[in-house]
Amino acid sequence: MIGLTDASLSFGALRLFEGLTLGVPQGRTTAILGPNGRGKTTLLRAMLGFQALDRGHRHAPAIIGYVPQHGASQAKLSGLEVVIMGRAARLGLFGQPGPEDVTAAHGALAQVGAENLAELRYDRMSGGQRQMILIARALATGSRVLVLDEPTSALDLGNQSRTLSLIASLGRIRDRAILFSTHDPNHALAVADYVVLMMPGGAVLQGPVDRMITPGLMAELYGVPMQWVRPADPSGRSAMLPAFTGKEAA
Amino acid sequence: MTLTSQDAAPRRGLFSLRPGVFPVLTAGLVLTMLYAISAGRFEVPFGRILEILWARAQDLSGSPETMEARIVELVRLPRVLLAALSGAALAVGGAALQGVFRNPLVSPQVLGISQGGAFGGALAILLGFHGVVLLGMSFGFGLLALILVGLLARIDGRTEVLTVILAGMVVGAFFAALVSVLQFLADPNTSLPAIVYWLMGSFATATWPRLGLAVPGMAFGLILVWALRYRLNLLALDEAEARSLGVNPDRERWFIFGAVALMTGTSVAVAGVIGWIGLVVPHAARLIVGEDHRRLIPASALLGAAYLVVIDTLARTLTAAEIPLGVLTALIGAPVFAVLLRQHFSRAGAP
């Protein structure tokens, strides 16, 4: 369980949230949804404890698996070494990772299906490969709380899809609490049970995914008309897209 | 080249084994030290050195009898050991700072620690202190310089590399000016020559007692950085990322800073300001063993020790008079710094 109780945070005149109570219980995947610059990352940082609150309380386990947006960007280390760093919280100040940490790191790599990246140098990997390593590192912490900051935003379509499938599968096992931020409602639709909307003006709405992702709320969230696009094949997935008039209108 | 690890990632996680490297570095250091003991106006053959050392190891009491034994035991051995220890300390100090600041351009000298230490030591000489007090003041002002740089460079809770280097230049220039003030105030017949000679940097005055003075501070600093070698890998990450992994960067950094100030202050106290070692040696070590501090720290220590022993031997054998060490290290160090600077900023533009 990770969450905030009655939390407020503002920077000068900019109010990010006020009196916000938000909890991510075990076994639930929650998406924080909003356009760029509305404070998704800051809310995550507050939940992780990196950003002090003006008011309110934070509750979280001592060790959290965290996937930053641009992690370890300069590490000229192997993929395995970067994953082993996830064990750091279990080592003392003078501790060195031992064989059990290496085993745990290999296990985490296997969970994300990236054993083949163990020996590759991290700073030479593609964005999608790095993402898998960083998720494996978060799993290597052994924490049952996983927080991902914009896990899909820097990836191409194929890697977005792979990352989302991975998040969905990770959420189904070990009763994990997963919290991630995204600016794409379809990514929330794909994997989240619960959605937090960062509305204009500092209001924060939250609820189950089917009640929050509606054309009305999405239009308000993004400031453009939105609509459902339903597939002709009823087994396909519906998408929430901007209702702009494209080339068909002409 | 088979020696660099730039292309291939380490094969196994923990000990990315490239087996030869550490034995080769250690053997190189031992041979360098033997050569340094042998070389000089009065040449002592390798075999004689080993005989003299063996005889001493059998019987620790008593004093050396032959001329050769006196030169080896009383003059060259303490000098070579002090140079090796100082070289290791300065190189490890540089490697540790580069890890913490995530930048290969910083070193004890670039950050003004050496100049702070020089001021502390010069002040001690001016006030008539020597030995432990000089060492303590050198360490204290070195640490003060580092704290000032840390405070100056921290803007809105962030520490940018360029700001750190500029702050280091400011603090270094400030303490260098203070040293000039002390020289101006010093008695031209007694304390002024003492300060000037000391500042130029030399192991010519190395003796066993002086080595004994240097060992605790340098050894403690080296052991502390060695113990924190895995932590340095984590501190090299972005701040929030390091915190998410259970590291407390604000606190843990100060262990490193304290160790570096202790090592730099001690080396300044016993041998004056010897710049550039902390910049050149970790760079070379990185080319050989890669970025992992668990390998980089010991490699820097071994290379730094050998490097300063070589420099010191050149300083006392190249010409009839001794060349100040700082001159030789700067002649090599400044061009290396220039190359690193260009590499760093041409790469910083690319993604």
Side-chain angles (χ1 to χ4, degrees):
Chain A
M1 167 83 180
I2 181 170
L4 300 174
T5 308
D6 197 21
S8 301
L9 181 65
S10 42
F11 294 114
L14 178 67
R15 192 181 63 164
L16 287 170
F17 48 84
E18 198 166 294
L20 173 65
T21 296
L22 169 62
V24 183
Q26 296 306 130
R28 196 159 82 184
T29 299
T30 299
I32 298 178
L33 196 55
N36 291 332
R38 191 132 325 144
K40 297 190 292 293
T41 296
T42 310
L43 175 57
L44 283 187
R45 286 173 56 87
M47 298 188 76
L48 289 161
F50 303 156
Q51 169 67 55
L53 296 165
D54 294 341
R55 241 170 3 90
H57 300 284
R58 162 183 177 262
H59 21 99
I63 300 177
I64 303 169
Y66 169 56
V67 181
Q69 213 172 331
H70 306 286
S73 47
Q74 296 185 13
K76 291 179 184 166
L77 301 170
S78 69
L80 183 64
E81 283 298 342
V82 175
V83 177
I84 289 174
M85 286 181 167
R87 308 291 295 171
R90 292 163 194 280
L91 305 170
L93 186 59
F94 301 115
Q96 308 290 322
E100 70 277 18
D101 299 307
V102 178
T103 309
H106 276 296
L109 278 170
Q111 275 190 70
V112 303
E115 297 105 313
N116 58 326
L117 301 179
E119 313 293 324
L120 215 66
R121 244 180 65 176
Y122 180 81
D123 59 323
R124 305 223 165 127
M125 290 181 189
S126 71
Q129 291 173 325
R130 287 186 186 191
Q131 185 70 275
M132 291 300 137
I133 292 293
L134 293 180
I135 293 175
R137 185 177 72 180
L139 295 176
T141 62
S143 175
R144 288 167 63 231
V145 174
L146 207 55
V147 176
L148 306 93
D149 189 4
E150 302 260 5
T152 51
S153 67
L155 302 179
D156 61 40
L157 214 54
N159 281 313
Q160 284 184 7
S161 167
R162 275 187 275 277
T163 301
L164 289 169
S165 315
L166 179 61
I167 293 174
S169 72
L170 291 174
R172 280 194 292 273
I173 44 176
R174 281 198 70 205
D175 206 22
R176 280 198 182 90
I178 297 183
L179 176 66
F180 72 100
S181 59
T182 176
H183 56 252
D184 190 335
N186 298 300
H187 294 174
L189 274 174
V191 293
D193 314 306
Y194 198 82
V195 177
V196 177
L197 304 182
M198 313 251 346
M199 304 303 282
V204 178
L205 305 178
Q206 50 183 313
V209 62
D210 51 335
R211 288 231 305 276
M212 301 313 284
I213 305 218
T214 61
L217 279 174
M218 290 300 106
E220 206 183 319
L221 185 65
Y222 293 101
V224 291
M226 299 284 284
Q227 65 186 12
W228 281 115
V229 176
R230 309 278 187 194
D233 173 2
S235 69
R237 292 195 305 118
S238 303
M240 173 64 68
L241 292 176
F244 67 93
T245 45
K247 52 191 178 190
E248 305 89 355
Chain B
M1 256 177 72
T2 48
L3 265 185
T4 71
S5 66
Q6 297 292 304
D7 294 300
R11 283 173 54 86
R12 303 248 54 231
L14 266 190
F15 313 92
S16 59
L17 281 174
R18 192 165 292 106
V21 173
F22 285 99
V24 166
L25 287 179
T26 310
L29 174 60
V30 170
L31 287 176
T32 309
M33 290 171 75
L34 276 177
Y35 173 73
I37 295 172
S38 135
R41 193 144 332 142
F42 190 103
E43 205 165 309
V44 185
F46 270 39
R48 274 299 290 148
I49 298 173
L50 295 178
E51 278 170 37
I52 290 166
L53 295 180
W54 178 247
R56 175 55 64 205
Q58 306 290 83
D59 171 24
L60 285 173
S61 59
S63 52
E65 277 150 25
T66 64
M67 173 78 159
E68 277 177 337
R70 273 199 292 279
I71 287 180
V72 168
E73 288 183 31
L74 300 181
V75 180
R76 294 203 186 141
L77 188 57
R79 178 170 188 158
V80 166
L81 287 175
L82 189 60
L85 192 59
S86 303
L90 289 169
V92 165
L97 287 181
Q98 289 159 16
V100 170
F101 285 110
R102 292 169 227 132
N103 190 283
L105 299 177
V106 299
S107 71
Q109 197 194 21
V110 172
L111 294 184
I113 307 173
S114 306
Q115 293 87 330
F119 171 73
L123 186 61
I125 294 175
L126 188 69
L127 298 175
F129 295 119
H130 48 85
V132 179
V133 178
L134 191 155
L135 198 149
M137 288 180 69
S138 193
F139 160 64
F141 279 94
L143 188 62
L144 176 67
L146 184 56
I147 292 172
L148 288 176
V149 170
L151 293 177
L152 264 180
R154 200 170 169 81
I155 296 168
D156 296 337
R158 287 163 55 87
T159 308
E160 296 285 345
V161 170
L162 192 62
T163 331
V164 170
I165 293 174
L166 292 175
M169 286 175 60
V170 170
V171 170
F174 180 71
F175 277 107
L178 286 182
V179 170
S180 302
V181 171
L182 292 185
Q183 289 177 334
F184 181 71
L185 294 174
D187 182 333
N189 292 316
T190 55
S191 48
L192 180 60
I195 291 174
V196 170
Y197 189 60
W198 170 73
L199 279 178
M200 281 205 284
S202 169
F203 291 110
T205 54
T207 56
W208 285 106
R210 193 170 273 233
L211 179 63
L213 198 64
V215 164
M218 292 193 188
F220 183 75
L222 283 170
I223 290 169
L224 187 56
V225 175
W226 161 256
L228 289 166
R229 61 198 183 278
Y230 190 66
R231 236 46 197 176
L232 276 167
N233 280 354
L234 300 167
L235 286 171
L237 296 170
D238 167 71
E239 182 135 355
E241 196 179 3
R243 285 179 65 177
S244 82
L245 295 174
V247 180
N248 183 342
D250 285 329
R251 187 171 58 97
E252 294 175 17
R253 231 176 250 150
W254 285 101
F255 285 98
I256 302 288
F257 291 166
V260 173
L262 189 58
M263 291 189 288
T264 310
T266 307
S267 87
V268 170
V270 296
V273 178
I274 307 166
W276 302 103
I277 306 264
L279 194 85
V280 174
V281 173
H283 180 64
R286 224 171 259 123
L287 291 178
I288 299 171
V289 300
E291 304 258 330
D292 188 336
H293 289 86
R294 286 170 294 172
R295 294 166 57 80
L296 182 62
I297 294 299
S300 295
L302 292 169
L303 273 179
Y307 181 69
L308 196 49
V309 168
V310 168
I311 294 280
D312 181 49
T313 308
L314 289 177
R316 67 185 169 84
T317 55
L318 274 184
T319 61
E322 288 213 7
I323 306 169
L325 290 173
V327 173
L328 284 180
T329 54
L331 281 177
I332 301 171
V336 172
F337 184 75
V339 170
L340 285 181
L341 194 69
R342 285 193 63 84
Q343 276 180 358
H344 180 76
F345 283 103
S346 62
R347 220 182 288 139

